[in-house]
Structure formats: C-alpha cells, structure tokens
Amino acid sequence: MIKSWEAKVYIWVVLSMLAFNLSIVSPVVFEEFGLDGFARIVYFFFGRICHQIDARSFHLNGIKFAVCERCSLIYFGAFVGVLIFPFLRREIVRSNPILLIALVPSGVEFSFEKILGIEVLAFKILVSLWLGILAGLVLTSQIVDMFSSSKKSQFDF
C-alpha cells in the first residue's frame, strides 16, 4: 500500500523524468520555432554527458535530439521503469544487483560495437531500453524508500 507522502514522492519522480525526457527532444521544438539559442543551451548541457555524434543520434524533421540513440533509449527506458514501478513488488526492484544484471547486455553490445565494429541497431535498442527500465525501477524504489525512512525517523523518539 502506497502512503500519501510516498505517492507525492512518486509523482515528483514521474514529473522529473518526464521533464528530463522532454528536454532531450526540446532542441527540435526550439529550432522549429526559431529559438536556436535555447537549442544551443540544451545541446551544451547534454554535451557534458553524451558525445552527441550526429550520425548516432535520432532526428526529427532533420534536427537531432540532445543526446545519442543509446542515451535517448536509456532515458526513455528509465521513464518507462518509473511508470511501471507501482505495479511491481518492491522487493523485486529494491536491490542494486539488478543494475549489474542490466549492465551485462549493454556491456556485450558496447563491446561488439567498439571492439569488433559490429553495430546491430535492434540489439542496441533492446539492451538500452532494458538498462533504462531496470535503472528507473531501482532508482525509483530507492528514492521512495529514502523519503520513507526519513519520514519514519521524524517520528522516532
């Protein structure tokens, strides 16, 4: 049973992830409306966490997203993970080893691409979404639990 303050924390996480995912596509909107300066600010911000190589990025109307395909899919997957969190048992998503399990397919895909020069877009899509979904589940669980334990400690005497 989710308590009302847990629901508030969860809604905050959902809205934060939605805003973050929308910021990834915001350069498309900014450039469509002639707000190139705002698009450059978004590209600059995301340039600190992603290579933003044009050929490896999704485009809409010829304008690239703020991050590459892999990053876009991981962030979108994290948003999906946040959305499905309430439908899963907490014990399933509470542990950090799940993140290690999520990293294995991504490590394989990344190795194939960087070491062997083999890039399979369908494999990249699946493993990036997998990593994002599991990361979203685990991090949402940890954020809700963090606020849960701080709420309990306020009432401990």
Side-chain angles (χ1 to χ4, degrees):
M1 184 66 140
I2 294 181
K3 297 171 182 67
S4 68
W5 48 268
E6 285 181 340
K8 289 177 185 174
V9 171
Y10 173 72
I11 290 169
W12 180 84
V13 172
V14 169
L15 293 175
S16 297
M17 282 301 297
L18 176 63
F20 187 78
N21 275 273
L22 288 174
S23 68
I24 291 169
V25 297
S26 68
V28 175
V29 176
F30 289 144
E31 289 194 25
E32 286 291 326
F33 287 101
L35 301 170
D36 297 354
F38 287 114
R40 282 193 299 277
I41 291 169
V42 174
Y43 286 130
F44 177 79
F45 171 77
F46 282 105
R48 304 297 168 242
I49 58 175
C50 178
H51 58 70
Q52 300 176 325
I53 296 173
D54 194 65
R56 294 180 176 264
S57 298
F58 290 124
H59 292 75
L60 191 61
N61 292 337
I63 305 166
K64 76 176 180 173
F65 287 11
V67 294
C68 70
E69 295 164 343
R70 180 180 288 120
C71 291
S72 295
L73 291 164
I74 291 170
Y75 299 140
F76 177 71
F79 182 59
V80 170
V82 168
L83 292 177
I84 64 175
F85 169 76
F87 303 104
L88 299 175
R89 288 186 26 228
R90 279 250 182 84
E91 298 79 35
I92 295 172
V93 296
R94 189 166 281 163
S95 67
N96 286 334
I98 289 177
L99 291 176
L100 293 175
I101 293 167
L103 283 171
V104 170
S106 290
V108 171
E109 184 270 328
F110 190 78
S111 297
F112 274 21
E113 185 178 316
K114 297 301 178 191
I115 297 170
L116 302 175
I118 300 170
E119 183 177 2
V120 180
L121 184 59
F123 189 43
K124 180 189 286 191
I125 290 170
L126 290 175
V127 300
S128 297
L129 286 173
W130 170 255
L131 174 60
I133 289 170
L134 291 180
L137 286 169
V138 170
L139 294 174
T140 302
S141 175
Q142 291 180 349
I143 290 168
V144 170
D145 284 350
M146 177 179 65
F147 282 93
S148 172
S149 63
S150 70
K151 198 72 160 170
K152 287 177 191 172
S153 67
Q154 288 179 355
F155 299 105
D156 290 343
F157 295 106

PDB file of all heavy atoms in Angstrom, residues 9-37:
ATOM      1  N   VAL A   9       5.991  11.670  -3.482  1.00  0.00           N
ATOM      2  CA  VAL A   9       7.381  11.481  -3.927  1.00  0.00           C
ATOM      3  C   VAL A   9       7.384  10.819  -5.299  1.00  0.00           C
ATOM      4  O   VAL A   9       8.112  11.238  -6.204  1.00  0.00           O
ATOM      5  CB  VAL A   9       8.185  10.647  -2.905  1.00  0.00           C
ATOM      6  CG1 VAL A   9       9.541  10.258  -3.469  1.00  0.00           C
ATOM      7  CG2 VAL A   9       8.337  11.400  -1.598  1.00  0.00           C
ATOM      8  N   TYR A  10       6.559   9.792  -5.459  1.00  0.00           N
ATOM      9  CA  TYR A  10       6.490   9.080  -6.736  1.00  0.00           C
ATOM     10  C   TYR A  10       6.057  10.031  -7.856  1.00  0.00           C
ATOM     11  O   TYR A  10       6.648  10.033  -8.938  1.00  0.00           O
ATOM     12  CB  TYR A  10       5.531   7.886  -6.633  1.00  0.00           C
ATOM     13  CG  TYR A  10       5.301   7.221  -7.960  1.00  0.00           C
ATOM     14  CD1 TYR A  10       6.311   6.461  -8.557  1.00  0.00           C
ATOM     15  CD2 TYR A  10       4.112   7.383  -8.644  1.00  0.00           C
ATOM     16  CE1 TYR A  10       6.128   5.874  -9.791  1.00  0.00           C
ATOM     17  CE2 TYR A  10       3.910   6.792  -9.883  1.00  0.00           C
ATOM     18  CZ  TYR A  10       4.919   6.045 -10.448  1.00  0.00           C
ATOM     19  OH  TYR A  10       4.738   5.471 -11.667  1.00  0.00           O
ATOM     20  N   ILE A  11       5.049  10.845  -7.620  1.00  0.00           N
ATOM     21  CA  ILE A  11       4.585  11.800  -8.641  1.00  0.00           C
ATOM     22  C   ILE A  11       5.696  12.778  -8.986  1.00  0.00           C
ATOM     23  O   ILE A  11       5.907  13.113 -10.154  1.00  0.00           O
ATOM     24  CB  ILE A  11       3.307  12.524  -8.173  1.00  0.00           C
ATOM     25  CG1 ILE A  11       2.140  11.538  -8.168  1.00  0.00           C
ATOM     26  CG2 ILE A  11       2.999  13.735  -9.032  1.00  0.00           C
ATOM     27  CD1 ILE A  11       0.895  12.033  -7.482  1.00  0.00           C
ATOM     28  N   TRP A  12       6.463  13.216  -7.986  1.00  0.00           N
ATOM     29  CA  TRP A  12       7.591  14.110  -8.234  1.00  0.00           C
ATOM     30  C   TRP A  12       8.618  13.427  -9.143  1.00  0.00           C
ATOM     31  O   TRP A  12       9.151  14.047 -10.068  1.00  0.00           O
ATOM     32  CB  TRP A  12       8.225  14.519  -6.902  1.00  0.00           C
ATOM     33  CG  TRP A  12       9.394  15.424  -7.060  1.00  0.00           C
ATOM     34  CD1 TRP A  12       9.370  16.769  -7.207  1.00  0.00           C
ATOM     35  CD2 TRP A  12      10.772  15.048  -7.114  1.00  0.00           C
ATOM     36  NE1 TRP A  12      10.655  17.255  -7.344  1.00  0.00           N
ATOM     37  CE2 TRP A  12      11.532  16.212  -7.289  1.00  0.00           C
ATOM     38  CE3 TRP A  12      11.428  13.824  -7.022  1.00  0.00           C
ATOM     39  CZ2 TRP A  12      12.919  16.188  -7.385  1.00  0.00           C
ATOM     40  CZ3 TRP A  12      12.807  13.807  -7.118  1.00  0.00           C
ATOM     41  CH2 TRP A  12      13.532  14.979  -7.300  1.00  0.00           C
ATOM     42  N   VAL A  13       8.894  12.136  -8.899  1.00  0.00           N
ATOM     43  CA  VAL A  13       9.849  11.386  -9.725  1.00  0.00           C
ATOM     44  C   VAL A  13       9.321  11.277 -11.156  1.00  0.00           C
ATOM     45  O   VAL A  13      10.066  11.480 -12.125  1.00  0.00           O
ATOM     46  CB  VAL A  13      10.139   9.991  -9.123  1.00  0.00           C
ATOM     47  CG1 VAL A  13      10.973   9.149 -10.066  1.00  0.00           C
ATOM     48  CG2 VAL A  13      10.830  10.124  -7.774  1.00  0.00           C
ATOM     49  N   VAL A  14       8.029  10.955 -11.310  1.00  0.00           N
ATOM     50  CA  VAL A  14       7.434  10.842 -12.651  1.00  0.00           C
ATOM     51  C   VAL A  14       7.557  12.164 -13.405  1.00  0.00           C
ATOM     52  O   VAL A  14       7.989  12.197 -14.563  1.00  0.00           O
ATOM     53  CB  VAL A  14       5.947  10.406 -12.568  1.00  0.00           C
ATOM     54  CG1 VAL A  14       5.262  10.552 -13.920  1.00  0.00           C
ATOM     55  CG2 VAL A  14       5.831   8.975 -12.075  1.00  0.00           C
ATOM     56  N   LEU A  15       7.184  13.257 -12.749  1.00  0.00           N
ATOM     57  CA  LEU A  15       7.244  14.562 -13.416  1.00  0.00           C
ATOM     58  C   LEU A  15       8.675  14.978 -13.742  1.00  0.00           C
ATOM     59  O   LEU A  15       8.928  15.564 -14.802  1.00  0.00           O
ATOM     60  CB  LEU A  15       6.551  15.626 -12.554  1.00  0.00           C
ATOM     61  CG  LEU A  15       5.037  15.461 -12.403  1.00  0.00           C
ATOM     62  CD1 LEU A  15       4.480  16.504 -11.438  1.00  0.00           C
ATOM     63  CD2 LEU A  15       4.331  15.517 -13.746  1.00  0.00           C
ATOM     64  N   SER A  16       9.612  14.647 -12.869  1.00  0.00           N
ATOM     65  CA  SER A  16      11.020  14.961 -13.129  1.00  0.00           C
ATOM     66  C   SER A  16      11.536  14.182 -14.338  1.00  0.00           C
ATOM     67  O   SER A  16      12.222  14.748 -15.203  1.00  0.00           O
ATOM     68  CB  SER A  16      11.880  14.628 -11.907  1.00  0.00           C
ATOM     69  OG  SER A  16      11.497  15.409 -10.816  1.00  0.00           O
ATOM     70  N   MET A  17      11.205  12.906 -14.402  1.00  0.00           N
ATOM     71  CA  MET A  17      11.652  12.091 -15.541  1.00  0.00           C
ATOM     72  C   MET A  17      10.979  12.533 -16.838  1.00  0.00           C
ATOM     73  O   MET A  17      11.601  12.523 -17.902  1.00  0.00           O
ATOM     74  CB  MET A  17      11.372  10.608 -15.282  1.00  0.00           C
ATOM     75  CG  MET A  17      12.360   9.962 -14.343  1.00  0.00           C
ATOM     76  SD  MET A  17      14.073  10.060 -14.932  1.00  0.00           S
ATOM     77  CE  MET A  17      13.979   9.124 -16.434  1.00  0.00           C
ATOM     78  N   LEU A  18       9.709  12.929 -16.746  1.00  0.00           N
ATOM     79  CA  LEU A  18       9.016  13.435 -17.931  1.00  0.00           C
ATOM     80  C   LEU A  18       9.701  14.703 -18.430  1.00  0.00           C
ATOM     81  O   LEU A  18       9.986  14.839 -19.624  1.00  0.00           O
ATOM     82  CB  LEU A  18       7.545  13.706 -17.613  1.00  0.00           C
ATOM     83  CG  LEU A  18       6.727  14.323 -18.745  1.00  0.00           C
ATOM     84  CD1 LEU A  18       6.662  13.384 -19.947  1.00  0.00           C
ATOM     85  CD2 LEU A  18       5.325  14.666 -18.254  1.00  0.00           C
ATOM     86  N   ALA A  19       9.991  15.621 -17.516  1.00  0.00           N
ATOM     87  CA  ALA A  19      10.666  16.870 -17.901  1.00  0.00           C
ATOM     88  C   ALA A  19      12.038  16.587 -18.504  1.00  0.00           C
ATOM     89  O   ALA A  19      12.429  17.196 -19.512  1.00  0.00           O
ATOM     90  CB  ALA A  19      10.789  17.793 -16.685  1.00  0.00           C
ATOM     91  N   PHE A  20      12.779  15.658 -17.902  1.00  0.00           N
ATOM     92  CA  PHE A  20      14.106  15.318 -18.413  1.00  0.00           C
ATOM     93  C   PHE A  20      14.006  14.748 -19.827  1.00  0.00           C
ATOM     94  O   PHE A  20      14.761  15.140 -20.721  1.00  0.00           O
ATOM     95  CB  PHE A  20      14.793  14.320 -17.479  1.00  0.00           C
ATOM     96  CG  PHE A  20      16.216  14.052 -17.831  1.00  0.00           C
ATOM     97  CD1 PHE A  20      17.214  14.951 -17.495  1.00  0.00           C
ATOM     98  CD2 PHE A  20      16.571  12.891 -18.509  1.00  0.00           C
ATOM     99  CE1 PHE A  20      18.535  14.703 -17.825  1.00  0.00           C
ATOM    100  CE2 PHE A  20      17.890  12.637 -18.841  1.00  0.00           C
ATOM    101  CZ  PHE A  20      18.876  13.550 -18.501  1.00  0.00           C
ATOM    102  N   ASN A  21      13.048  13.827 -20.041  1.00  0.00           N
ATOM    103  CA  ASN A  21      12.885  13.236 -21.368  1.00  0.00           C
ATOM    104  C   ASN A  21      12.418  14.272 -22.390  1.00  0.00           C
ATOM    105  O   ASN A  21      12.844  14.237 -23.540  1.00  0.00           O
ATOM    106  CB  ASN A  21      11.928  12.041 -21.313  1.00  0.00           C
ATOM    107  CG  ASN A  21      12.641  10.768 -20.928  1.00  0.00           C
ATOM    108  OD1 ASN A  21      13.172  10.074 -21.771  1.00  0.00           O
ATOM    109  ND2 ASN A  21      12.701  10.475 -19.638  1.00  0.00           N
ATOM    110  N   LEU A  22      11.555  15.181 -21.977  1.00  0.00           N
ATOM    111  CA  LEU A  22      11.129  16.240 -22.898  1.00  0.00           C
ATOM    112  C   LEU A  22      12.280  17.179 -23.246  1.00  0.00           C
ATOM    113  O   LEU A  22      12.359  17.688 -24.365  1.00  0.00           O
ATOM    114  CB  LEU A  22       9.962  17.026 -22.305  1.00  0.00           C
ATOM    115  CG  LEU A  22       8.627  16.288 -22.253  1.00  0.00           C
ATOM    116  CD1 LEU A  22       7.579  17.128 -21.518  1.00  0.00           C
ATOM    117  CD2 LEU A  22       8.140  15.912 -23.648  1.00  0.00           C
ATOM    118  N   SER A  23      13.194  17.384 -22.298  1.00  0.00           N
ATOM    119  CA  SER A  23      14.337  18.256 -22.588  1.00  0.00           C
ATOM    120  C   SER A  23      15.246  17.651 -23.656  1.00  0.00           C
ATOM    121  O   SER A  23      15.923  18.383 -24.376  1.00  0.00           O
ATOM    122  CB  SER A  23      15.122  18.566 -21.311  1.00  0.00           C
ATOM    123  OG  SER A  23      15.770  17.416 -20.819  1.00  0.00           O
ATOM    124  N   ILE A  24      15.229  16.328 -23.775  1.00  0.00           N
ATOM    125  CA  ILE A  24      16.038  15.663 -24.800  1.00  0.00           C
ATOM    126  C   ILE A  24      15.543  16.001 -26.200  1.00  0.00           C
ATOM    127  O   ILE A  24      16.335  16.164 -27.126  1.00  0.00           O
ATOM    128  CB  ILE A  24      16.056  14.135 -24.566  1.00  0.00           C
ATOM    129  CG1 ILE A  24      16.855  13.829 -23.301  1.00  0.00           C
ATOM    130  CG2 ILE A  24      16.603  13.383 -25.763  1.00  0.00           C
ATOM    131  CD1 ILE A  24      16.725  12.399 -22.829  1.00  0.00           C
ATOM    132  N   VAL A  25      14.238  16.126 -26.362  1.00  0.00           N
ATOM    133  CA  VAL A  25      13.685  16.470 -27.677  1.00  0.00           C
ATOM    134  C   VAL A  25      13.438  17.964 -27.837  1.00  0.00           C
ATOM    135  O   VAL A  25      13.043  18.416 -28.906  1.00  0.00           O
ATOM    136  CB  VAL A  25      12.386  15.677 -27.977  1.00  0.00           C
ATOM    137  CG1 VAL A  25      12.657  14.187 -28.037  1.00  0.00           C
ATOM    138  CG2 VAL A  25      11.309  15.992 -26.981  1.00  0.00           C
ATOM    139  N   SER A  26      13.681  18.733 -26.786  1.00  0.00           N
ATOM    140  CA  SER A  26      13.397  20.176 -26.838  1.00  0.00           C
ATOM    141  C   SER A  26      14.153  20.928 -27.936  1.00  0.00           C
ATOM    142  O   SER A  26      13.594  21.884 -28.491  1.00  0.00           O
ATOM    143  CB  SER A  26      13.635  20.826 -25.477  1.00  0.00           C
ATOM    144  OG  SER A  26      14.999  20.820 -25.136  1.00  0.00           O
ATOM    145  N   PRO A  27      15.394  20.538 -28.299  1.00  0.00           N
ATOM    146  CA  PRO A  27      16.044  21.277 -29.398  1.00  0.00           C
ATOM    147  C   PRO A  27      15.244  21.242 -30.702  1.00  0.00           C
ATOM    148  O   PRO A  27      15.259  22.214 -31.465  1.00  0.00           O
ATOM    149  CB  PRO A  27      17.391  20.573 -29.566  1.00  0.00           C
ATOM    150  CG  PRO A  27      17.676  20.000 -28.223  1.00  0.00           C
ATOM    151  CD  PRO A  27      16.332  19.587 -27.688  1.00  0.00           C
ATOM    152  N   VAL A  28      14.518  20.155 -30.923  1.00  0.00           N
ATOM    153  CA  VAL A  28      13.687  20.060 -32.130  1.00  0.00           C
ATOM    154  C   VAL A  28      12.620  21.145 -32.093  1.00  0.00           C
ATOM    155  O   VAL A  28      12.416  21.870 -33.081  1.00  0.00           O
ATOM    156  CB  VAL A  28      13.043  18.657 -32.235  1.00  0.00           C
ATOM    157  CG1 VAL A  28      12.086  18.595 -33.423  1.00  0.00           C
ATOM    158  CG2 VAL A  28      14.106  17.577 -32.337  1.00  0.00           C
ATOM    159  N   VAL A  29      11.949  21.285 -30.966  1.00  0.00           N
ATOM    160  CA  VAL A  29      10.899  22.294 -30.817  1.00  0.00           C
ATOM    161  C   VAL A  29      11.493  23.700 -30.897  1.00  0.00           C
ATOM    162  O   VAL A  29      10.970  24.571 -31.604  1.00  0.00           O
ATOM    163  CB  VAL A  29      10.142  22.098 -29.482  1.00  0.00           C
ATOM    164  CG1 VAL A  29       9.107  23.193 -29.266  1.00  0.00           C
ATOM    165  CG2 VAL A  29       9.489  20.718 -29.432  1.00  0.00           C
ATOM    166  N   PHE A  30      12.600  23.910 -30.170  1.00  0.00           N
ATOM    167  CA  PHE A  30      13.226  25.237 -30.172  1.00  0.00           C
ATOM    168  C   PHE A  30      13.625  25.666 -31.581  1.00  0.00           C
ATOM    169  O   PHE A  30      13.350  26.795 -31.991  1.00  0.00           O
ATOM    170  CB  PHE A  30      14.448  25.265 -29.247  1.00  0.00           C
ATOM    171  CG  PHE A  30      14.121  25.209 -27.782  1.00  0.00           C
ATOM    172  CD1 PHE A  30      14.940  24.531 -26.911  1.00  0.00           C
ATOM    173  CD2 PHE A  30      13.001  25.843 -27.268  1.00  0.00           C
ATOM    174  CE1 PHE A  30      14.656  24.480 -25.552  1.00  0.00           C
ATOM    175  CE2 PHE A  30      12.701  25.804 -25.914  1.00  0.00           C
ATOM    176  CZ  PHE A  30      13.534  25.122 -25.050  1.00  0.00           C
ATOM    177  N   GLU A  31      14.262  24.771 -32.323  1.00  0.00           N
ATOM    178  CA  GLU A  31      14.715  25.136 -33.668  1.00  0.00           C
ATOM    179  C   GLU A  31      13.541  25.323 -34.633  1.00  0.00           C
ATOM    180  O   GLU A  31      13.616  26.161 -35.523  1.00  0.00           O
ATOM    181  CB  GLU A  31      15.727  24.120 -34.183  1.00  0.00           C
ATOM    182  CG  GLU A  31      17.053  24.228 -33.453  1.00  0.00           C
ATOM    183  CD  GLU A  31      18.187  23.493 -34.121  1.00  0.00           C
ATOM    184  OE1 GLU A  31      18.138  23.284 -35.357  1.00  0.00           O
ATOM    185  OE2 GLU A  31      19.144  23.131 -33.413  1.00  0.00           O
ATOM    186  N   GLU A  32      12.474  24.562 -34.437  1.00  0.00           N
ATOM    187  CA  GLU A  32      11.288  24.734 -35.291  1.00  0.00           C
ATOM    188  C   GLU A  32      10.675  26.122 -35.110  1.00  0.00           C
ATOM    189  O   GLU A  32      10.099  26.676 -36.030  1.00  0.00           O
ATOM    190  CB  GLU A  32      10.241  23.655 -34.997  1.00  0.00           C
ATOM    191  CG  GLU A  32      10.590  22.284 -35.529  1.00  0.00           C
ATOM    192  CD  GLU A  32      10.560  22.210 -37.043  1.00  0.00           C
ATOM    193  OE1 GLU A  32       9.725  22.882 -37.687  1.00  0.00           O
ATOM    194  OE2 GLU A  32      11.396  21.464 -37.595  1.00  0.00           O
ATOM    195  N   PHE A  33      10.776  26.664 -33.898  1.00  0.00           N
ATOM    196  CA  PHE A  33      10.220  27.994 -33.615  1.00  0.00           C
ATOM    197  C   PHE A  33      11.265  29.104 -33.698  1.00  0.00           C
ATOM    198  O   PHE A  33      11.030  30.222 -33.247  1.00  0.00           O
ATOM    199  CB  PHE A  33       9.542  28.007 -32.238  1.00  0.00           C
ATOM    200  CG  PHE A  33       8.232  27.278 -32.209  1.00  0.00           C
ATOM    201  CD1 PHE A  33       8.154  26.007 -31.686  1.00  0.00           C
ATOM    202  CD2 PHE A  33       7.094  27.860 -32.746  1.00  0.00           C
ATOM    203  CE1 PHE A  33       6.945  25.330 -31.669  1.00  0.00           C
ATOM    204  CE2 PHE A  33       5.874  27.189 -32.738  1.00  0.00           C
ATOM    205  CZ  PHE A  33       5.803  25.912 -32.199  1.00  0.00           C
ATOM    206  N   GLY A  34      12.440  28.775 -34.240  1.00  0.00           N
ATOM    207  CA  GLY A  34      13.471  29.782 -34.436  1.00  0.00           C
ATOM    208  C   GLY A  34      14.202  30.189 -33.167  1.00  0.00           C
ATOM    209  O   GLY A  34      14.814  31.253 -33.127  1.00  0.00           O
ATOM    210  N   LEU A  35      14.133  29.359 -32.135  1.00  0.00           N
ATOM    211  CA  LEU A  35      14.797  29.664 -30.871  1.00  0.00           C
ATOM    212  C   LEU A  35      16.119  28.887 -30.785  1.00  0.00           C
ATOM    213  O   LEU A  35      16.343  28.098 -29.860  1.00  0.00           O
ATOM    214  CB  LEU A  35      13.877  29.303 -29.696  1.00  0.00           C
ATOM    215  CG  LEU A  35      12.525  30.017 -29.686  1.00  0.00           C
ATOM    216  CD1 LEU A  35      11.604  29.418 -28.648  1.00  0.00           C
ATOM    217  CD2 LEU A  35      12.726  31.512 -29.445  1.00  0.00           C
ATOM    218  N   ASP A  36      16.975  29.121 -31.749  1.00  0.00           N
ATOM    219  CA  ASP A  36      18.239  28.385 -31.850  1.00  0.00           C
ATOM    220  C   ASP A  36      19.127  28.555 -30.625  1.00  0.00           C
ATOM    221  O   ASP A  36      19.860  27.642 -30.252  1.00  0.00           O
ATOM    222  CB  ASP A  36      19.005  28.815 -33.100  1.00  0.00           C
ATOM    223  CG  ASP A  36      18.250  28.500 -34.381  1.00  0.00           C
ATOM    224  OD1 ASP A  36      17.190  27.848 -34.305  1.00  0.00           O
ATOM    225  OD2 ASP A  36      18.724  28.903 -35.456  1.00  0.00           O
ATOM    226  N   GLY A  37      19.069  29.715 -29.990  1.00  0.00           N
ATOM    227  CA  GLY A  37      19.876  29.971 -28.791  1.00  0.00           C
ATOM    228  C   GLY A  37      19.517  29.007 -27.668  1.00  0.00           C
ATOM    229  O   GLY A  37      20.402  28.481 -26.981  1.00  0.00           O
TER     230      GLY A  37
END
